[in-house]
Amino acid sequence: MNEYLEPLSIQKMKILIIGTLGVGKTTLAGALSQETGYPYVSIDECRIRYSDGTHDGEDAAWHYFLIACRNPSPAILEFSGGGTHVYEVRDALLSSGITIKIIWIDIPHDLCIMRASKREIDIPAPFVWAEIDYSVPAIHSGIEIAWERIWSAEHGFCTRKMVFSRDVPSCEIYLMVRSYLSESL
């Protein structure tokens, strides 16, 4: 964050950050949480906290993530934006009763693959992940479908897809997201 910026002034809302592996969702969500004071909840954080790598553990992780989505308090939320739980997340967000802004961060796949390859954290899951160079574009394709059918199609959401070149530094991405969040609805 830049100490010379005016404090982020936004109405109470839920902010959902979506994107494929390695796009920078966690970094962005953490910075937004720090500046707004809103709690930050990600599906990976729920997996680490509530899952043991079994199917029951995965169900528990999603249970707690969906509670955060339904809660009527402001929050910064983060998951890929695709997959088997998108309808549940959509319904939970809508039931929260507050403004929902959804931001899809999209950067070149090769950069995402490089970043995701450097991760050292182990996320408990009951399934084997594919190789990162396969997973990044596959997850992106799933997000494209969900964006078309769910996220941008839902009139109860304010959505923005933000596409960045590989040369855009994280601080500029943050400033553009911050600017979008400051826009009146």
Side-chain angles (χ1 to χ4, degrees):
M1 259 186 324
N2 185 330
E3 61 194 54
Y4 300 107
L5 292 173
E6 290 292 319
L8 183 58
S9 175
I10 58 175
Q11 74 179 70
K12 293 185 184 233
M13 67 178 77
K14 289 209 182 292
I15 301 163
L16 176 64
I17 309 293
I18 64 174
T20 193
L21 294 171
V23 80
K25 298 181 302 289
T26 301
T27 301
L28 175 61
L32 289 170
S33 175
Q34 183 177 14
E35 185 172 6
T36 62
Y38 292 1
Y40 162 59
V41 180
S42 74
I43 187 56
D44 284 348
E45 172 191 88
C46 289
R47 285 177 173 134
I48 291 167
R49 189 167 182 188
Y50 301 110
S51 181
D52 57 2
T54 64
H55 288 285
D56 287 343
E58 181 72 0
D59 289 345
W62 278 101
H63 170 78
Y64 285 102
F65 186 74
L66 292 169
I67 286 172
C69 292
R70 270 191 300 276
N71 187 309
S73 300
I76 311 291
L77 305 164
E78 177 237 309
F79 87 115
S80 73
T84 58
H85 295 280
V86 293
Y87 289 103
E88 292 172 280
V89 172
R90 178 203 60 195
D91 294 346
L93 289 169
L94 289 169
S95 72
S96 73
I98 67 172
T99 300
I100 309 294
K101 283 199 174 186
I102 300 174
I103 303 165
W104 177 8
I105 303 297
D106 191 4
I107 64 172
H109 290 174
D110 62 324
L111 185 56
C112 293
I113 291 166
M114 181 190 70
R115 289 176 175 179
S117 297
K118 293 179 179 180
R119 285 196 183 150
E120 295 180 6
I121 191 163
D122 187 30
I123 309 295
F127 38 81
V128 178
W129 292 98
E131 294 297 320
I132 289 173
D133 59 342
Y134 173 85
S135 295
V136 166
I139 292 168
H140 187 272
S141 294
I143 298 166
E144 285 180 320
I145 293 166
W147 187 259
E148 181 78 20
R149 295 182 184 168
I150 299 164
W151 305 123
S152 66
E154 177 54 57
H155 298 294
F157 296 148
C158 302
T159 59
R160 175 83 45 96
K161 179 179 180 181
M162 296 183 161
V163 180
F164 299 97
S165 71
R166 67 178 310 100
D167 303 331
V168 177
S170 297
C171 60
E172 282 189 42
I173 292 172
Y174 178 79
L175 290 174
M176 291 184 73
V177 167
R178 192 179 187 280
S179 175
Y180 167 62
L181 293 173
S182 297
E183 292 174 4
S184 60
L185 300 174

